[in-house]
Amino acid sequence: MRQVWDFHGGIHPPENKHQSTGQPIRFAGIPTELVLPLAQHIGAPAEPVVAVGDAVLKGQVIASAKGLVSVPVHAPTSGTVVAIEDRPVPQPSGLPGRCIVIHPDGQERWIERKPVADYTALEPAALIALIRDAGIAGMGGAGFPAAVKLHGRPDKVIDTLLINGTECEPYITADDLLMRERASDIVAGIRILQHLVRPTEATLIGIEDNKPEAIEALRNAARGSGIEVVVFPTKYPSGGEKQLIQIVTGREVPSGGLPADIGIVCQNVGTAAAIARAVLHGEPLISRITTVTGEACREQRNYEVLLGTSVQFLLDMSGFEPERLSRLIIGGPMMGYAITDLSVPVVKTTNCILAPTRAELPPPPPAQACIRCGLCSEACPVSLLPQQMYWFARGKEWDKLEAQDLFDCIECGACSYVCPSTIPLVQYYRAGKAEIRKQREEKAKAEHAKQRFEARQARIAQLEAEKEAKRQARLQAAKAPKADRGDTGAEASTDVVAAALARVQAKKASDPAADVIARAQARRAGTDTPESPAAARERLQQNVASAEKRLDAARRKLAEARAENSDKLAAFETAVTNTEARLRQAQEALAALPAPADDAAGSGDAPADIIARAQAKRAAGADAPDAATQRANLEKRLAAAEAKLAAAREQKSDKIDAFETSVTSLREKLASLAPDAENTSVPAPAADPAQDAIARAMAARASRDTLSPGDKAEQAARGLEERLAKARTELDAARADGSDNIAALEDAVAKLADKLERAQRELAERREGAN
């Protein structure tokens, strides 16, 4: 006889199991509606692969696994999908969840099932994939996907396969009846697990001594198979995975570790039976055994229930008397949770529906102050310090709470059960775990965003440095006399590039606009290569005109991206912002030039001279099209644009806004022609974008010249505040929509916040100096 061990703590609450073991398992039948949550297990919820109105067959996949720790959902019977929506689901928070709703047709039409005649001929990976595709999650209550547990690790040798038949929670008898009536299915599933896990030493079934009929049935089914049934004394919570391992093998799973770390794989008897049905009969997990008990039900028994069946349906079958009910509990009295909505469905982890009366399970009295008796520490099966954890949880000292090995707590409720002050200790621990997990996720997101931002800044700085280095190299090469270069031009060029790169990296933080102004001032002082004022002004006018054209094009692309809800919206917004900045820099550089000197050849106003020359050229008819030709060209382009707009509207294209913008622009250009243009061969002079830009820059400069330095600083700060508020609004909208542009918007907000802080600091310093 195999030796068994004990574990620290534990309690002996009233078992109350005999009420539901007097009758065999009964099929609950097909309800009028099945509600199937997409999240029925630990891990990522499944993703629907059907639509409303689809007809489905029994066993058909209706939601596929999403991620490694996930399993699919199957139709429990044939029928029609009538909704995919949020419905009440069984979970402690009481929040609704996404569900697929099926109306059964009563015909029980199956998909084509593909049983495996010889599973030993399959590779372990293929067999594990079959188990995952069958939607099997742990049936003992936790709901961890079975396939994930069965994935072996090359660095870990499994010596023991342990099957959990303990079912230590009071009132619950689903596994007990399963072992009594379907022991052969359990043993068949264990053999499949043996083929996958390949334990080197033993395969054990752990079961408490309060289930004699189940013990006998399992021993008869396992006779001659090498599977050993290990019986041990009843104590709660011996059904916990780590506690069962310690009882049967004497080993302890390390804090934060897994059973595989000590060479053990543990599965529930219900999971083993479901694996046998999936492999040997080709049937996915679409039903489970559920105990319906409590004195508020006239008939207490176990049912085989189709997943998605409502709790109300099962209670009605059991003669439910709602006026006698104290509170309705999913699970047992120790680890279960109360529900108020009877429409919640049975899911893969629903092993019990408990409907006790007030006399049977009275509500707990109000919690009193902790008297530091230490009974909770004595009862804890994980050897934790529940009292200390309680104080840290109440004080929201999450770091200290986690340091007390909070995540080793199995939430068995033994500490709450023995507490003389009736403090709901487990609720504090659950809330603490949820808060710590939330903080971990937020920290991980923040760190990821920081890394992306820093990497982007480094890339931008590197590209800017390389561009500037090449420009400096070309400039130096152009200035160097050809005779000095000789045959070593390549080496000299390389040296120039390296020297220029060093200079650029030394002044990366410089302001481009300030650099342009400084160069202009240097030319005025005669410290740089001389350039005539007229040439400098003409060059800068061309720069302004070019920047305006690029800005118009960037804004059109941004409008199209917004109309199409493109994923490149942030990139176009950044392009518009950058182009606006370059235009301002060009305008400021132009405004910074000295006024042209008077001369006899012109009016003294270089822009006016340019305009006069252009008008003279037009008057001479130098290659300028007449008004009729201009109007004809515009009318032709307008007709084509209107045709495209009409076609886009007919097709309900997502580019309608872009075509409307084009049509509006062409109509404005056509209307801008002089009314009598058709009667003259010389068109009216068109507006000069460069001249307009010069005028705006001169006006802005004149306006700024009238302001004091303090007013200028205040004006700059206000402008930055408006831009920052707009950027934050866009960031909030992106976060609400789950947009892919969140990181780019966060970068923009951070940059604007830095600029605003510097501007406000400068403004404060000026005000302080003025006082």
Side-chain angles (χ1 to χ4, degrees), residues 447-459 747:
E447 183 63 28
H448 181 60
K450 179 182 177 182
Q451 291 175 357
R452 290 180 59 188
F453 174 74
E454 291 176 348
R456 180 174 178 274
Q457 292 299 102
R459 289 196 305 271
D747 292 350

Side-chain angles (χ1 to χ4, degrees), residues 240-314:
E241 185 177 62
K242 295 182 179 180
Q243 286 67 45
L244 178 61
I245 290 171
Q246 188 173 355
I247 291 171
V248 175
T249 68
R251 308 181 209 169
E252 291 189 36
V253 179
S255 175
L258 298 172
D261 296 335
I262 58 172
I264 298 174
V265 168
C266 188
Q267 293 283 4
N268 179 263
V269 289
T271 308
I275 288 173
R277 299 298 301 175
V279 176
L280 303 179
H281 302 278
E283 297 179 6
L285 180 56
I286 55 175
S287 66
R288 68 154 297 131
I289 310 300
T290 300
T291 304
V292 180
T293 186
E295 293 181 3
C297 295
R298 291 192 298 272
E299 184 178 9
Q300 303 179 46
R301 66 184 306 163
N302 284 275
Y303 295 93
E304 181 168 4
V305 188
L306 293 179
L307 302 181
T309 302
S310 70
V311 168
Q312 181 73 68
F313 182 83
L314 289 179

Side-chain angles (χ1 to χ4, degrees), residues 483-627:
D484 294 344
R485 277 182 263 170
D487 295 334
T488 60
E491 296 178 2
S493 178
T494 303
D495 294 339
V496 169
V497 171
L501 181 59
R503 286 197 300 274
V504 169
Q505 291 175 339
K507 59 174 186 176
K508 281 191 293 186
S510 63
D511 184 356
D515 291 345
V516 173
I517 295 171
R519 286 197 298 271
Q521 292 173 342
R523 282 194 296 271
R524 289 172 67 183
T527 59
D528 203 347
T529 303
E531 183 181 25
S532 67
R537 186 173 298 279
E538 185 175 357
R539 174 176 55 79
L540 290 174
Q541 288 169 357
Q542 292 174 355
N543 291 346
V544 169
S546 176
E548 286 183 332
K549 290 180 181 178
R550 290 198 301 272
L551 181 58
D552 290 341
R555 285 173 174 168
R556 285 197 301 273
K557 291 180 181 179
L558 176 59
E560 293 176 2
R562 283 175 174 163
E564 299 173 1
N565 195 20
S566 171
D567 57 357
K568 297 182 179 179
L569 183 60
F572 287 127
E573 290 175 342
T574 302
V576 169
T577 302
N578 293 341
T579 308
E580 288 174 344
R582 285 193 287 271
L583 176 58
R584 285 196 300 273
Q585 292 166 8
Q587 291 171 342
E588 290 171 359
L590 181 61
L593 288 178
D598 293 336
D599 56 49
S603 65
D605 187 352
D609 291 343
I610 295 172
I611 295 171
R613 287 196 298 273
Q615 290 174 340
K617 189 174 181 180
R618 282 200 189 118
D623 299 329
D626 58 18

